[in-house]
Amino acid sequence: MNPLKTLTPKLQNRRYSLIKLKGKTKLACFVDQEWIIDATCKSINEMIDNGLVSKDSVRGWVSQQCFTFH
């Protein structure tokens, strides 16, 4: 038995995008065929809501992201 195999988490392909959710534009992450709000999205959405970053800045960040693995 390979002990590293049991300790290595499964890598998940994540894709970030701004989506409409309940009439508001939110950053979300597409994982396992569904949109979720992960910790990164939650933090960035709070910064958008508080006027610390603009949606255009977030769009720029999203466009620079390739598929990330977590």
Side-chain angles (χ1 to χ4, degrees), residues 5-42:
K5 188 173 184 178
T6 58
L7 296 176
T8 305
K10 178 185 170 195
L11 294 178
Q12 293 179 319
N13 190 4
R14 293 178 179 244
R15 182 171 48 103
Y16 292 95
S17 184
L18 287 171
I19 64 169
K20 286 282 188 186
L21 183 64
K22 297 181 182 177
K24 292 187 174 187
T25 302
K26 297 287 185 181
L27 181 67
C29 181
F30 194 71
V31 180
D32 292 334
Q33 304 300 315
E34 66 180 343
W35 290 103
I36 64 166
I37 304 291
D38 67 1
T40 300
C41 297
K42 184 176 179 181

Side-chain angles (χ1 to χ4, degrees), residues 1 22 58:
M1 181 171 126
K22 297 181 182 177
V58 175

